[in-house]
């Protein structure tokens, strides 16, 4: 079983930056496709970004493209989400997710992921 723990959330002013981390317990982290999702109060879960097993390929939601960057460090079993130019619409609980099955392209779907973290709160003030 894989455990995921997010960290790095907090309160930031509009225009500011935050870096989220997601630490995974899996033995074969380097074989997992990793993704970030978010859920704002009163809204449905929304895809944010995904990254391939070796970090060569990434995929972003249009709403964050050019502002957010997903990276991973397989030696540390960690995936990151660098968030720049934050605005109040980015306020949400951010979740990381792991797809332990190798292969397949990147996309916005949530069903492919087998494990989810507890989430970390990001609040952007205007």
């Amino acid at each position: 079983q894989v455990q995921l723990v997010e960290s790095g959330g907090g309160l930031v002013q509009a225009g500011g930056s935050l870096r989220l981390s997601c630490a995974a317990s899996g033995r074969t982290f380097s074989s997992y496709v990793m993704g970030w999702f978010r859920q704002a109060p009163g809204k449905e879960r929304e895809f944010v970004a995904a990254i391939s097993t070796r970090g060569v390929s990434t995929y972003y939601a249009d709403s964050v493209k050019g502002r957010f960057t997903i990276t991973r460090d397989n030696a540390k079993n960690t995936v990151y989400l660098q968030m720049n130019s934050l605005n109040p619409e980015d306020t949400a609980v951010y979740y990381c997710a792991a797809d332990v099955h190798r292969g397949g392209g990147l996309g916005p779907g949530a069903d492919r992921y087998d494990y989810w973290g507890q989430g970390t709160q990001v609040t952007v003030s205007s």
Side-chain angles (χ1 to χ4, degrees):
Q1 190 174 45
V2 176
Q3 292 182 323
L4 305 172
V5 180
E6 302 96 336
S7 62
L11 176 64
V12 65
Q13 288 185 293
S17 298
L18 282 175
R19 189 193 194 199
L20 306 183
S21 299
C22 174
S25 65
R27 291 184 177 182
T28 55
F29 177 78
S30 61
S31 70
Y32 305 163
V33 168
M34 299 296 296
W36 285 98
F37 293 78
R38 66 188 183 185
Q39 187 166 21
K43 300 179 67 176
E44 296 184 354
R45 180 186 292 170
E46 176 188 27
F47 169 78
V48 176
I51 190 166
S52 61
T53 57
R54 299 178 68 88
V56 174
S57 299
T58 57
Y59 184 84
Y60 297 94
D62 288 343
S63 59
V64 307
K65 197 173 302 180
R67 300 188 298 121
F68 291 11
T69 303
I70 185 171
T71 57
R72 67 191 296 159
D73 186 341
N74 286 347
K76 296 181 178 180
N77 272 31
T78 302
V79 63
Y80 305 93
L81 185 68
Q82 178 67 47
M83 306 185 295
N84 299 326
S85 301
L86 287 163
N87 61 66
E89 295 299 312
D90 298 314
T91 295
V93 176
Y94 283 70
Y95 300 90
C96 66
D99 173 6
V100 303
H101 302 99
R102 301 186 68 170
L106 302 180
D111 290 346
R112 71 179 295 170
Y113 296 98
D114 305 289
Y115 299 96
W116 296 80
Q118 291 292 309
T120 185
Q121 176 71 48
V122 172
T123 303
V124 184
S125 62
S126 60

